[in-house]
């Protein structure tokens, strides 16, 4: 009997529910883990920085995927919730001397609580109307940090974030911090994958596909939407905490409205309603950004000096916009859909159906 899922019989429920179902899938997963452990030791500091940035972004993208992809709640305020988690953990480590790991969880819970507060009003609307309360939440975050709690956050001057440590070991190098962030991103990705396969995830999908039909089936629409809002923003808060403690210093300007738009746009590029969509969307965003940073100086040298500066500054925005438009027109279901088509064709080979 073949190792491909189309030729595998499941004799136990555990086999049917397993994420990794065949020996080939297990081999690929183990190879990925080995690469994740070995390759970073040979990477430059810039590549490690990029890896840390990608890992933290994946965590935040998983959060917006749970809200937009699985519950169809348009969220254009995620950067504010990322900042809320960053400030939550920074305040606890700076003022109270709390260890990073409980502070990180507290930052995630603070972002989730902020999501619950915003969600009680935001979830009374749906569709494009969700844009208004979520964008408002982003600017409320700015006001809270720079004005209301200025005594503790130091306003626009910013706040320091302590270097993480545990049992005497300090994550004070790019390599050690990469391992920390990559491990947390992997764990949270597995948790998100299992969550969307549970009763909660099935309720979210039912609400996304037809909220009236889901209500007729006895699903508490408000409860499950609020739960998605809290869990998704918890992920955003964890991502913000990890990033803040890596850079060591941050203020509210680190979490601009532009990033909020990117989170939503590249969720579409990666593929909505699919956990791998968060990974693909992040890779597109960050790797494409690196490519733009490499090409922009070359373009500036070619063009006349009168327009080169403006073109270089706008190039990233133009390319990102074109990528999103191309995906909306040619592949609205994102890269994750193409990934599923590839896996399906592999499983069915040599058959064409």
């Amino acid at each position: 009997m073949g190792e491909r899922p189309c030729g595998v019989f499941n004799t136990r429920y555990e086999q049917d529910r397993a994420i990794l179902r065949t020996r080939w899938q297990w081999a690929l997963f183990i190879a990925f883990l080995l690469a994740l452990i070995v390759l970073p030791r040979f990477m430059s500091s810039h590549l490690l920085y990029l890896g840390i940035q990608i890992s933290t972004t994946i965590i935040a993208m998983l959060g917006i995927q749970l809200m937009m992809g699985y519950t169809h709640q348009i969220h254009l305020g995620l950067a504010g919730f990322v900042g809320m988690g960053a400030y939550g953990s920074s305040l606890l480590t700076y003022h109270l001397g709390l260890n990073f790991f409980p502070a990180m969880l507290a930052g995630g819970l603070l972002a989730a609580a902020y999501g619950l507060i915003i969600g009680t009003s935001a979830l009374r609307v749906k569709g494009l109307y969700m844009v208004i309360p979520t964008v408002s939440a982003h600017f409320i975050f700015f006001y809270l940090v720079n004005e209301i709690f200025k005594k503790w956050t130091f306003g626009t001057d910013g706040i320091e974030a302590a270097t993480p440590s545990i049992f005497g070991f300090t994550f004070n190098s790019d390599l050690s911090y990469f391992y920390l962030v990559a491990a947390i991103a992997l764990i949270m990705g597995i948790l998100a994958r299992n969550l969307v396969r549970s009763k909660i995830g099935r309720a979210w999908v039912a609400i996304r596909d037809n909220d009236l039909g889901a209500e007729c089936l006895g699903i508490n629409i408000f409860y499950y939407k609020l739960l998605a809002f809290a869990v998704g923003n918890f992920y955003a808060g964890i991502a913000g905490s990890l990033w803040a403690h890596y850079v060591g210093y941050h203020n509210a300007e680190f979490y601009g409205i532009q990033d909020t738009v990117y989170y939503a746009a590249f969720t579409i590029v990666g593929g909505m309603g699919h956990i791998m969509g968060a990974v693909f969307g992040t890779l597109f965003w960050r790797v494409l950004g690196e490519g733009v940073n490499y090409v922009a100086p070359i373009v500036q040298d070619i063009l006349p000096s009168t327009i080169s500066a403006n073109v270089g500054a706008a190039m990233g925005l133009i390319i990102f916009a074109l990528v999103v438009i191309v995906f909306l027109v040619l592949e609205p279901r994102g890269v994750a859909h193409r990934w599923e088509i590839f896996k399906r064709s592999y499983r069915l080979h040599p058959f064409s159906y």
Side-chain angles (χ1 to χ4, degrees), residues 113-147:
Y114 185 48
L116 288 175
I117 295 170
I118 299 298
T120 52
S121 59
L123 299 183
R124 297 182 184 277
V125 297
K126 59 182 180 180
L128 291 175
Y129 293 102
M130 281 288 293
V131 171
I132 299 172
T134 53
V135 170
S136 300
H138 179 85
F139 289 106
I140 291 171
F141 157 73
F142 269 78
Y143 184 70
L144 292 173
V145 169
N146 291 332
E147 300 295 337

Side-chain angles (χ1 to χ4, degrees), residues 34-100:
L34 290 175
L36 200 64
I37 294 171
V38 175
L39 291 181
R41 296 182 176 274
F42 304 97
M43 291 181 179
S44 64
S45 59
H46 179 71
L47 287 178
L48 288 172
Y49 167 84
L50 181 60
I52 293 169
Q53 190 180 47
I54 288 174
S55 299
T56 54
T57 306
I58 285 175
I59 297 173
M61 292 284 277
L62 286 170
I64 199 170
Q65 185 69 261
L66 295 177
M67 292 179 281
M68 286 184 59
Y70 284 93
T71 329
H72 199 241
Q73 300 177 80
I74 299 176
H75 197 322
L76 287 183
L78 193 76
F81 293 89
V82 171
M84 189 65 72
Y87 267 94
S89 62
S90 298
L91 287 169
L92 290 174
T93 55
Y94 184 86
H95 292 292
L96 301 180
L98 193 65
N99 184 268
F100 163 75

